[in-house]
Amino acid sequence: MTDPNEPADPTRTVVVRETGRGQFQQEIICGPLHLVADEPAGVGGQDSGLGPYELLLASLGACTAMTLRLYADRKHLPLKSAQVRLRHSRIRAEDCAECETKSGMIDRIDRAITLEGDLSDEQRTRLMEIADKCPVHRTLKGEIDIQTFQQEN
């Protein structure tokens, strides 16, 4: 079990804290990097940063593109560029043929990948298979154990 009071590598630990500017705005800190998260104005935010699901999609998209680049470079494939477009929605479970859950609502992520370059059909097919092997994709499709601890000030 991880001790929440044990200092972690500060360049890899993500800290999220309220900014005090608006109801939802959050500062995200990871080492020297700073981002802002917020909600759209329509739900009470200031629309000053990506929302939580947009950050999740960005993580999956970035990991997918990085995994494709790594594979293409390693195999010397003529991949000029990869673009990943993602959208999150909620659907009825009965509308998902591959899902184990058959009642209620489930989350769906639609991911569209554009591959540019002089690639054969076989190379394109293989790259699409590799996209599903990105670590974030595997995390989201697998079992996740999230442990929450209250930390003293």
Side-chain angles (χ1 to χ4, degrees), residues 7 10 14 23 33 36 43 60 90 94 104 111 123 126 128 135:
V14 175
Q23 183 179 8
L33 305 174
V36 172
V43 295
L60 177 59
R90 304 254 312 143
E94 65 245 23
R111 180 176 61 173
Q123 290 169 329
R126 182 63 181 144
M128 294 303 285

Side-chain angles (χ1 to χ4, degrees), residues 23-112:
Q23 183 179 8
F24 298 115
Q25 192 184 75
Q26 304 292 314
E27 179 182 24
I28 303 167
I29 305 159
C30 184
L33 305 174
H34 292 254
L35 303 170
V36 172
D38 201 354
E39 289 286 358
V43 295
Q46 298 174 328
D47 208 11
S48 62
L50 297 177
Y53 279 104
E54 293 163 332
L55 288 164
L56 179 69
L57 295 176
S59 178
L60 177 59
C63 185
T64 300
M66 290 173 183
T67 299
L68 291 170
R69 172 54 53 208
L70 182 67
Y71 181 83
D73 288 353
R74 185 176 295 146
K75 297 295 183 175
H76 307 288
L77 300 180
L79 177 64
K80 183 177 176 185
S81 69
Q83 178 178 306
V84 185
R85 297 176 64 91
L86 302 108
R87 180 171 299 234
H88 171 263
S89 61
R90 304 254 312 143
I91 64 167
R92 294 186 331 223
E94 65 245 23
D95 293 336
C96 180
E98 310 86 42
C99 297
E100 290 180 27
T101 303
K102 293 300 174 195
S103 63
M105 300 294 284
I106 62 169
D107 291 281
R108 167 170 279 165
I109 296 175
D110 292 315
R111 180 176 61 173

